[in-house]
Amino acid sequence: MNRKIVTMLMAMAVSVSLTACGSEGTSSSGNTDDAAANNEAADAADDTADDAADSASDSVSGMANMDKPLVWFNRQPSNSSTGELDMAALSFNESTYYVGFDANQGADLQGTMVMDYIKENIDSIDRNGDGVIGYVMAIGDIGHNDSIARTRGIRKALGTGVDKDGDINSEPIGTNTDGTATAVQDGTLEVDGQSYTIRELASQEMKNSAGATWDAATAGNAIGTWSSSFGEEIDVVVSNNDGMGMSMFNAWSNDNKVPTFGYDANNDAVAAIAEGYGGTISQHADVQAYLTLRVLRNALDGVDVDTGIGTADKAGNVLSDDVYVYKADERSYYALNVAVTAENYQDFTDSTKVFAPVSNQLDEGSHAVKKVWLDIYNAADNFLSSTYQPLLQNYDDLLNLDIDYIGGDGQTESNITNRLGNPSQYDAFAINMVKTDNAASYTALLSQ
């Protein structure tokens, strides 16, 4: 009920009550006292109504910030050196979760996609006919779990990986045209009785001078350097994401008909498959974006976290178990990946379209609008800015969430945390860190 209406009704009720009591016989001085009492009662009623309206309008804001729903997304709190999950951050409170995608499943899928392409095109892929199928690789961020997994996935599938501390070495190698690098080895491939060598000719972290990683411009410069030095030996280009992959494709590999493989299924990369881009991986960003906000919505509503995810909500939203998995011990939801190639790319031409099974509007009467603070680690990141954020903005309306979107510079946490000056004005938080190690930079703010 409107606060002013509540105030007026309560004041009128008090006034009628006092008038009835005074009608049994009062002097003129008593009328003055009654008027004063009426005013005091009206003031008290107004205060009561204000308090009631404040309480009814926003029950979550009365919570301590450290108890409010929190979702980490896209960058999982973890040790950038070992990959060990930061369970203190993932269990910050009972309404804290992570939303991302199954990095290892997607990495293996990318590696398999590249190897399948090589086998299917073995008669033409060795451009200089030297028996060595050479590839170069753009590495996004050597301390990022997803980047590490994708590098390992390629080396595993192509047989170029070597063991380091019980897993495939994911370090960049610089240049390796002679096959002597120690972080990788030459792979072998037998097709129709003929033997080929698969060699990682070069790889580097695409980090610009300002410190931003996954940098597309740096990747474009790198392919220029590599192609001018040993371009005839490059038969395949591989990238940890489509932003860097498309930069290399546009700068060199498209003109030279060299298949390029990326990750993310960005609109421009999917469209480029028709022009010769080898393929990409959809990490089901539509499912990830939904999960990011749905987990918050469920916590804000005080319902089971599985509502509208594995269990249909009243609007009919539900996800099937072939598009995501939930790992309770990691408090993490992971979307599953799909390979996008020349055979199916037309099904992925709009990366910002909401996922049909979870596209139903929630009733605002049962799911009141709530305020959310959400940051994107780098406003210039191609995948997050052109795919993930537009999807979030589609889902925030469906889920009745009023979101403040904050874009970082991709270099420092302070560029983001400095803009979380008053967390008390928000009901929930969705955080995309610059570095996976730095969850404490955010939880410290919420713990104050």
Side-chain angles (χ1 to χ4, degrees):
M1 184 179 293
N2 182 280
R3 181 183 299 177
K4 292 183 178 179
I5 295 175
V6 172
T7 302
M8 292 174 61
L9 290 175
M10 294 184 70
M12 290 172 62
V14 172
S15 177
V16 170
S17 174
L18 289 173
T19 301
C21 291
S23 64
E24 295 183 0
T26 56
S27 64
S28 58
S29 60
N31 289 338
T32 301
D33 291 339
D34 286 347
N38 287 352
N39 290 335
E40 291 177 3
D43 288 343
D46 187 54
D47 290 342
T48 301
D50 283 349
D51 292 343
D54 286 340
S55 176
S57 67
D58 194 354
S59 60
V60 177
S61 62
M63 297 173 63
N65 293 321
M66 66 183 301
D67 296 323
K68 293 178 180 178
L70 165 63
V71 168
W72 308 98
F73 70 97
N74 183 256
R75 296 189 163 205
Q76 193 170 28
S78 58
N79 185 303
S80 61
S81 297
T82 66
E84 182 181 1
L85 297 185
D86 180 356
M87 292 309 301
L90 289 166
S91 56
F92 176 63
N93 61 37
E94 64 180 11
S95 298
T96 297
Y97 296 90
Y98 170 73
V99 171
F101 64 99
D102 192 324
N104 292 325
Q105 178 253 350
D108 288 344
L109 197 60
Q110 187 189 32
T112 300
M113 175 177 64
V114 174
M115 179 57 98
D116 286 348
Y117 185 96
I118 291 173
K119 291 178 179 178
E120 292 167 6
N121 296 274
I122 197 64
D123 293 336
S124 59
I125 199 164
D126 184 8
R127 295 197 308 140
N128 64 359
D130 64 354
V132 178
I133 299 169
Y135 71 93
V136 295
M137 180 160 53
I139 295 175
D141 180 345
I142 59 174
H144 192 299
N145 279 1
D146 296 341
S147 188
I148 292 169
R150 293 171 198 177
T151 300
R152 287 173 174 167
I154 292 296
R155 291 175 177 173
K156 175 184 176 182
L158 302 186
T160 56
V162 298
D163 182 84
K164 181 181 180 182
D165 299 328
D167 213 330
I168 292 174
N169 194 330
S170 62
E171 297 171 353
I173 60 170
T175 57
N176 179 45
T177 54
D178 59 1
T180 61
T182 58
V184 293
Q185 64 182 0
D186 283 351
T188 58
L189 175 64
E190 295 280 343
V191 181
D192 297 330
Q194 186 170 347
S195 180
Y196 297 86
T197 296
I198 300 180
R199 178 174 296 164
E200 186 171 312
L201 301 172
S203 59
Q204 75 175 61
E205 180 185 38
M206 299 307 168
K207 184 176 184 177
N208 68 21
S209 59
T213 53
W214 304 85
D215 188 63
T218 303
N221 292 334
I223 196 65
T225 300
W226 293 335
S227 62
S228 64
S229 300
F230 48 88
E232 291 184 357
E233 299 177 48
I234 303 174
D235 302 310
V236 178
V237 175
V238 183
S239 174
N240 281 174
N241 76 357
D242 281 333
M244 299 181 298
M246 281 300 295
S247 182
M248 295 189 291
F249 182 74
N250 291 327
W252 180 78
S253 54
N254 187 20
D255 289 341
N256 290 275
K257 308 304 178 187
V258 175
T260 302
F261 297 86
Y263 203 115
D264 289 336
N266 290 342
N267 282 343
D268 58 345
V270 172
I273 291 176
E275 303 173 15
Y277 196 72
T280 182
I281 300 294
S282 168
Q283 52 175 280
H284 255 316
D286 49 1
V287 173
Q288 287 187 67
Y290 172 75
L291 286 168
T292 298
L293 300 187
R294 186 69 209 217
V295 169
L296 290 180
R297 179 75 262 179
N298 290 343
L300 290 166
D301 291 342
V303 299
D304 189 277
V305 70
D306 196 48
T307 304
I309 299 175
T311 305
D313 63 17
K314 291 183 179 180
N317 296 304
V318 67
L319 294 172
S320 57
D321 58 11
D322 62 342
V323 297
Y324 84 101
V325 293
Y326 174 60
K327 296 184 179 180
D329 59 328
E330 298 176 1
R331 299 187 62 81
S332 297
Y333 285 88
Y334 301 104
L336 299 179
N337 303 265
V338 180
V340 182
T341 65
E343 285 70 37
N344 66 346
Y345 77 93
Q346 292 182 337
D347 297 333
F348 295 85
T349 53
D350 184 0
S351 64
T352 63
K353 183 180 180 180
V354 299
F355 193 49
V358 288
S359 59
N360 300 316
Q361 177 73 51
L362 295 188
D363 175 36
E364 190 173 331
S366 304
H367 308 274
V369 174
K370 297 295 182 179
K371 188 78 172 176
V372 176
W373 188 93
L374 182 151
D375 80 274
I376 300 292
Y377 92 99
N378 185 357
D381 183 276
N382 187 269
F383 167 65
L384 290 171
S385 63
S386 67
T387 298
Y388 209 107
Q389 184 168 330
L391 281 165
L392 290 169
Q393 290 171 323
N394 287 334
Y395 284 119
D396 64 19
D397 289 334
L398 294 174
L399 299 176
N400 303 325
L401 297 174
D402 179 12
I403 299 181
D404 281 350
Y405 292 93
I406 309 298
D409 62 5
Q411 300 167 33
T412 61
E413 305 295 345
S414 61
N415 183 260
I416 300 168
T417 55
N418 285 346
R419 286 180 279 175
L420 186 54
N422 184 16
S424 297
Q425 66 181 302
Y426 298 99
D427 300 300
F429 308 92
I431 295 174
N432 175 220
M433 295 176 288
V434 174
K435 288 293 184 182
T436 62
D437 307 82
N438 293 338
S441 299
Y442 300 87
T443 55
L445 288 174
L446 300 181
S447 298
Q448 293 177 358

